[in-house]
Amino acid sequence: MSYTLFIGNKNTDAWSMGPWVLMKQAGIAFNEQPVRSDAAESIELKKALRAVTPLGKLPVLVDPSLGSNPSIWDSLAMCEYLAEVHPDLNLWPAERTARARARSLCAEMHAGFQELRAMCPMNIEARLPAIGERLIHKNNAFCDDLNRLVNMWQTQLKLSGGPMLFGQFTIADAYFVSMCMRIRTYALPVSPPVQAYISRILALPSVGEWIAKAEQDADFFIHEAPCLQA
Ligand SMILES: N[C@@H](CCC(=O)N[C@@H](CS)C(=O)NCC(=O)O)C(=O)O
């Protein structure tokens, strides 16, 4: 029996994208269970989601080998779980100091960047450079978040020597992939090394596969981009 990963719409579900990309990129087999937030026909799927998590939020990873409580209902918890179950895949950096840093970066993403996330929701198929430009000029908290992200990545790439944040692809790269998508959609200004890193992330086969499906789904709804109505 293999894993099932419940995920949301590929265009907008930033929290689902990280674990999905991680599993694909690492070659961990799983059944994908999309739960579209907007579609009437998904009522049955929403019931199925409630059955595996009382929270009803996406993503959820189900591992039948866990027995009667097989659900892991938080993206960071599932990354940790997968790293524990698949130690051979080095999903975290192998070296302890680097691993501690990688965990810190992911925890910061999990709990932080509130303004950037609120103002620039992931919207893969859209191109919204005017929104990005306006935020850069008018929103200090947003600029603080963006500067922190760029500095964090730049420092880490310098420390590791690249091409990924910790040399090889790890949970940290998967965890920040939605930020790469936001920077692309809103044409946010970043330094050349960070732009090069984003290009490498976008060139990963797993990321390309997610983007292609997001574009094919044509799920861009204007009401889902609150910053457009500002
Ligand atoms: N901390 C959670 C966040 C999960 C989350 O907020 N998921 C959103 C989708 S991106 C969701 O399910 N929203 C629907 C809701 O809040 O009811 C994680 O890392 O998995």
Side-chain angles (χ1 to χ4, degrees), residues 191-216:
S191 64
V194 165
Q195 193 58 62
Y197 167 67
I198 293 170
S199 300
R200 293 193 290 274
I201 289 290
L202 295 181
L204 293 173
S206 57
V207 176
E209 193 181 329
W210 177 285
I211 292 173
K213 186 64 168 59
E215 288 172 349
Q216 187 191 322

mmCIF file of all heavy atoms in Angstrom, residues 191-216:
data_model
loop_
_atom_site.group_PDB
_atom_site.id
_atom_site.type_symbol
_atom_site.label_atom_id
_atom_site.label_comp_id
_atom_site.label_asym_id
_atom_site.label_seq_id
_atom_site.Cartn_x
_atom_site.Cartn_y
_atom_site.Cartn_z
ATOM 1 N N SER A 191 17.918 39.637 -6.481
ATOM 2 C CA SER A 191 19.306 39.751 -6.949
ATOM 3 C C SER A 191 19.588 38.690 -8.016
ATOM 4 O O SER A 191 18.898 37.658 -8.080
ATOM 5 C CB SER A 191 20.244 39.548 -5.762
ATOM 6 O OG SER A 191 20.096 38.230 -5.275
ATOM 7 N N PRO A 192 20.629 38.900 -8.840
ATOM 8 C CA PRO A 192 20.947 37.910 -9.893
ATOM 9 C C PRO A 192 21.181 36.488 -9.358
ATOM 10 O O PRO A 192 20.652 35.537 -9.952
ATOM 11 C CB PRO A 192 22.205 38.495 -10.564
ATOM 12 C CG PRO A 192 22.076 39.969 -10.342
ATOM 13 C CD PRO A 192 21.427 40.136 -8.995
ATOM 14 N N PRO A 193 21.919 36.288 -8.230
ATOM 15 C CA PRO A 193 22.080 34.893 -7.771
ATOM 16 C C PRO A 193 20.757 34.244 -7.379
ATOM 17 O O PRO A 193 20.558 33.049 -7.598
ATOM 18 C CB PRO A 193 22.992 35.023 -6.528
ATOM 19 C CG PRO A 193 23.580 36.383 -6.590
ATOM 20 C CD PRO A 193 22.683 37.238 -7.409
ATOM 21 N N VAL A 194 19.856 35.057 -6.820
ATOM 22 C CA VAL A 194 18.547 34.511 -6.423
ATOM 23 C C VAL A 194 17.702 34.221 -7.669
ATOM 24 O O VAL A 194 17.025 33.197 -7.755
ATOM 25 C CB VAL A 194 17.845 35.465 -5.432
ATOM 26 C CG1 VAL A 194 16.368 35.129 -5.280
ATOM 27 C CG2 VAL A 194 18.543 35.385 -4.078
ATOM 28 N N GLN A 195 17.783 35.116 -8.667
ATOM 29 C CA GLN A 195 17.056 34.863 -9.922
ATOM 30 C C GLN A 195 17.555 33.573 -10.574
ATOM 31 O O GLN A 195 16.767 32.767 -11.091
ATOM 32 C CB GLN A 195 17.236 36.053 -10.882
ATOM 33 C CG GLN A 195 16.285 36.042 -12.070
ATOM 34 C CD GLN A 195 14.812 36.035 -11.640
ATOM 35 O OE1 GLN A 195 14.347 36.958 -10.995
ATOM 36 N NE2 GLN A 195 14.091 34.968 -11.973
ATOM 37 N N ALA A 196 18.866 33.366 -10.517
ATOM 38 C CA ALA A 196 19.438 32.145 -11.112
ATOM 39 C C ALA A 196 18.963 30.910 -10.349
ATOM 40 O O ALA A 196 18.661 29.867 -10.946
ATOM 41 C CB ALA A 196 20.962 32.227 -11.098
ATOM 42 N N TYR A 197 18.874 31.037 -9.027
ATOM 43 C CA TYR A 197 18.371 29.921 -8.212
ATOM 44 C C TYR A 197 16.920 29.608 -8.589
ATOM 45 O O TYR A 197 16.549 28.439 -8.786
ATOM 46 C CB TYR A 197 18.487 30.268 -6.723
ATOM 47 C CG TYR A 197 17.722 29.334 -5.820
ATOM 48 C CD1 TYR A 197 18.114 27.997 -5.675
ATOM 49 C CD2 TYR A 197 16.593 29.763 -5.115
ATOM 50 C CE1 TYR A 197 17.393 27.127 -4.862
ATOM 51 C CE2 TYR A 197 15.882 28.899 -4.295
ATOM 52 C CZ TYR A 197 16.281 27.587 -4.176
ATOM 53 O OH TYR A 197 15.569 26.715 -3.378
ATOM 54 N N ILE A 198 16.111 30.654 -8.728
ATOM 55 C CA ILE A 198 14.705 30.445 -9.098
ATOM 56 C C ILE A 198 14.617 29.736 -10.456
ATOM 57 O O ILE A 198 13.817 28.813 -10.643
ATOM 58 C CB ILE A 198 13.944 31.792 -9.113
ATOM 59 C CG1 ILE A 198 13.850 32.345 -7.689
ATOM 60 C CG2 ILE A 198 12.554 31.635 -9.721
ATOM 61 C CD1 ILE A 198 13.331 33.774 -7.595
ATOM 62 N N SER A 199 15.474 30.137 -11.399
ATOM 63 C CA SER A 199 15.453 29.481 -12.720
ATOM 64 C C SER A 199 15.785 28.000 -12.588
ATOM 65 O O SER A 199 15.189 27.151 -13.270
ATOM 66 C CB SER A 199 16.469 30.135 -13.665
ATOM 67 O OG SER A 199 16.151 31.487 -13.828
ATOM 68 N N ARG A 200 16.719 27.679 -11.692
ATOM 69 C CA ARG A 200 17.068 26.258 -11.504
ATOM 70 C C ARG A 200 15.903 25.487 -10.881
ATOM 71 O O ARG A 200 15.644 24.341 -11.251
ATOM 72 C CB ARG A 200 18.339 26.138 -10.637
ATOM 73 C CG ARG A 200 19.590 26.674 -11.312
ATOM 74 C CD ARG A 200 20.847 26.249 -10.575
ATOM 75 N NE ARG A 200 21.031 26.888 -9.287
ATOM 76 C CZ ARG A 200 21.618 28.069 -9.073
ATOM 77 N NH1 ARG A 200 22.076 28.767 -10.110
ATOM 78 N NH2 ARG A 200 21.757 28.562 -7.859
ATOM 79 N N ILE A 201 15.211 26.146 -9.948
ATOM 80 C CA ILE A 201 14.045 25.489 -9.340
ATOM 81 C C ILE A 201 12.957 25.257 -10.402
ATOM 82 O O ILE A 201 12.379 24.173 -10.500
ATOM 83 C CB ILE A 201 13.468 26.353 -8.183
ATOM 84 C CG1 ILE A 201 14.416 26.341 -6.982
ATOM 85 C CG2 ILE A 201 12.071 25.912 -7.776
ATOM 86 C CD1 ILE A 201 14.488 25.009 -6.244
ATOM 87 N N LEU A 202 12.708 26.277 -11.231
ATOM 88 C CA LEU A 202 11.662 26.152 -12.253
ATOM 89 C C LEU A 202 12.014 25.083 -13.284
ATOM 90 O O LEU A 202 11.126 24.524 -13.938
ATOM 91 C CB LEU A 202 11.427 27.504 -12.944
ATOM 92 C CG LEU A 202 10.869 28.624 -12.064
ATOM 93 C CD1 LEU A 202 10.646 29.898 -12.865
ATOM 94 C CD2 LEU A 202 9.560 28.214 -11.395
ATOM 95 N N ALA A 203 13.307 24.799 -13.427
ATOM 96 C CA ALA A 203 13.741 23.797 -14.413
ATOM 97 C C ALA A 203 13.669 22.367 -13.871
ATOM 98 O O ALA A 203 13.881 21.413 -14.615
ATOM 99 C CB ALA A 203 15.178 24.116 -14.863
ATOM 100 N N LEU A 204 13.362 22.203 -12.581
ATOM 101 C CA LEU A 204 13.251 20.844 -12.035
ATOM 102 C C LEU A 204 12.046 20.142 -12.680
ATOM 103 O O LEU A 204 10.980 20.754 -12.810
ATOM 104 C CB LEU A 204 13.048 20.882 -10.515
ATOM 105 C CG LEU A 204 14.216 21.402 -9.665
ATOM 106 C CD1 LEU A 204 13.794 21.538 -8.196
ATOM 107 C CD2 LEU A 204 15.421 20.473 -9.791
ATOM 108 N N PRO A 205 12.202 18.871 -13.064
ATOM 109 C CA PRO A 205 11.082 18.172 -13.720
ATOM 110 C C PRO A 205 9.804 18.179 -12.898
ATOM 111 O O PRO A 205 8.708 18.367 -13.434
ATOM 112 C CB PRO A 205 11.616 16.739 -13.881
ATOM 113 C CG PRO A 205 13.100 16.854 -13.810
ATOM 114 C CD PRO A 205 13.420 18.055 -12.962
ATOM 115 N N SER A 206 9.920 17.993 -11.585
ATOM 116 C CA SER A 206 8.726 17.953 -10.737
ATOM 117 C C SER A 206 7.999 19.299 -10.756
ATOM 118 O O SER A 206 6.765 19.366 -10.841
ATOM 119 C CB SER A 206 9.125 17.610 -9.298
ATOM 120 O OG SER A 206 10.071 18.548 -8.822
ATOM 121 N N VAL A 207 8.756 20.374 -10.692
ATOM 122 C CA VAL A 207 8.156 21.718 -10.687
ATOM 123 C C VAL A 207 7.492 21.988 -12.043
ATOM 124 O O VAL A 207 6.364 22.507 -12.114
ATOM 125 C CB VAL A 207 9.222 22.795 -10.348
ATOM 126 C CG1 VAL A 207 8.634 24.198 -10.437
ATOM 127 C CG2 VAL A 207 9.791 22.540 -8.952
ATOM 128 N N GLY A 208 8.174 21.586 -13.122
ATOM 129 C CA GLY A 208 7.604 21.752 -14.464
ATOM 130 C C GLY A 208 6.286 21.005 -14.602
ATOM 131 O O GLY A 208 5.332 21.505 -15.213
ATOM 132 N N GLU A 209 6.230 19.821 -14.021
ATOM 133 C CA GLU A 209 5.009 19.005 -14.110
ATOM 134 C C GLU A 209 3.851 19.691 -13.377
ATOM 135 O O GLU A 209 2.724 19.749 -13.872
ATOM 136 C CB GLU A 209 5.301 17.622 -13.504
ATOM 137 C CG GLU A 209 4.238 16.600 -13.816
ATOM 138 C CD GLU A 209 4.549 15.244 -13.172
ATOM 139 O OE1 GLU A 209 5.747 14.882 -13.007
ATOM 140 O OE2 GLU A 209 3.580 14.552 -12.814
ATOM 141 N N TRP A 210 4.137 20.215 -12.187
ATOM 142 C CA TRP A 210 3.092 20.917 -11.416
ATOM 143 C C TRP A 210 2.600 22.157 -12.177
ATOM 144 O O TRP A 210 1.394 22.392 -12.312
ATOM 145 C CB TRP A 210 3.631 21.301 -10.036
ATOM 146 C CG TRP A 210 2.665 22.077 -9.189
ATOM 147 C CD1 TRP A 210 2.318 23.389 -9.337
ATOM 148 C CD2 TRP A 210 1.910 21.589 -8.062
ATOM 149 N NE1 TRP A 210 1.405 23.760 -8.370
ATOM 150 C CE2 TRP A 210 1.135 22.666 -7.581
ATOM 151 C CE3 TRP A 210 1.836 20.355 -7.406
ATOM 152 C CZ2 TRP A 210 0.297 22.548 -6.473
ATOM 153 C CZ3 TRP A 210 0.985 20.242 -6.307
ATOM 154 C CH2 TRP A 210 0.229 21.320 -5.852
ATOM 155 N N ILE A 211 3.555 22.942 -12.716
ATOM 156 C CA ILE A 211 3.195 24.183 -13.427
ATOM 157 C C ILE A 211 2.331 23.859 -14.653
ATOM 158 O O ILE A 211 1.319 24.523 -14.907
ATOM 159 C CB ILE A 211 4.463 24.962 -13.858
ATOM 160 C CG1 ILE A 211 5.200 25.506 -12.629
ATOM 161 C CG2 ILE A 211 4.120 26.094 -14.815
ATOM 162 C CD1 ILE A 211 6.549 26.154 -12.939
ATOM 163 N N ALA A 212 2.732 22.820 -15.400
ATOM 164 C CA ALA A 212 1.981 22.472 -16.623
ATOM 165 C C ALA A 212 0.534 22.149 -16.270
ATOM 166 O O ALA A 212 -0.401 22.579 -16.963
ATOM 167 C CB ALA A 212 2.651 21.287 -17.320
ATOM 168 N N LYS A 213 0.328 21.426 -15.183
ATOM 169 C CA LYS A 213 -1.040 21.051 -14.794
ATOM 170 C C LYS A 213 -1.791 22.290 -14.296
ATOM 171 O O LYS A 213 -2.980 22.461 -14.590
ATOM 172 C CB LYS A 213 -0.976 19.966 -13.701
ATOM 173 C CG LYS A 213 -2.310 19.402 -13.327
ATOM 174 C CD LYS A 213 -2.954 18.664 -14.495
ATOM 175 C CE LYS A 213 -4.162 17.828 -14.128
ATOM 176 N NZ LYS A 213 -5.251 18.547 -13.519
ATOM 177 N N ALA A 214 -1.102 23.152 -13.544
ATOM 178 C CA ALA A 214 -1.747 24.378 -13.048
ATOM 179 C C ALA A 214 -2.235 25.223 -14.228
ATOM 180 O O ALA A 214 -3.356 25.763 -14.207
ATOM 181 C CB ALA A 214 -0.761 25.182 -12.201
ATOM 182 N N GLU A 215 -1.416 25.306 -15.270
ATOM 183 C CA GLU A 215 -1.798 26.117 -16.434
ATOM 184 C C GLU A 215 -2.949 25.461 -17.202
ATOM 185 O O GLU A 215 -3.871 26.132 -17.658
ATOM 186 C CB GLU A 215 -0.577 26.355 -17.319
ATOM 187 C CG GLU A 215 0.377 27.339 -16.644
ATOM 188 C CD GLU A 215 1.713 27.507 -17.331
ATOM 189 O OE1 GLU A 215 2.035 26.712 -18.239
ATOM 190 O OE2 GLU A 215 2.455 28.425 -16.938
ATOM 191 N N GLN A 216 -2.891 24.162 -17.276
ATOM 192 C CA GLN A 216 -3.933 23.423 -17.986
ATOM 193 C C GLN A 216 -5.284 23.533 -17.266
ATOM 194 O O GLN A 216 -6.332 23.611 -17.899
ATOM 195 C CB GLN A 216 -3.488 21.968 -18.052
ATOM 196 C CG GLN A 216 -4.328 21.040 -18.894
ATOM 197 C CD GLN A 216 -3.886 19.590 -18.617
ATOM 198 O OE1 GLN A 216 -2.707 19.296 -18.434
ATOM 199 N NE2 GLN A 216 -4.841 18.696 -18.559
#
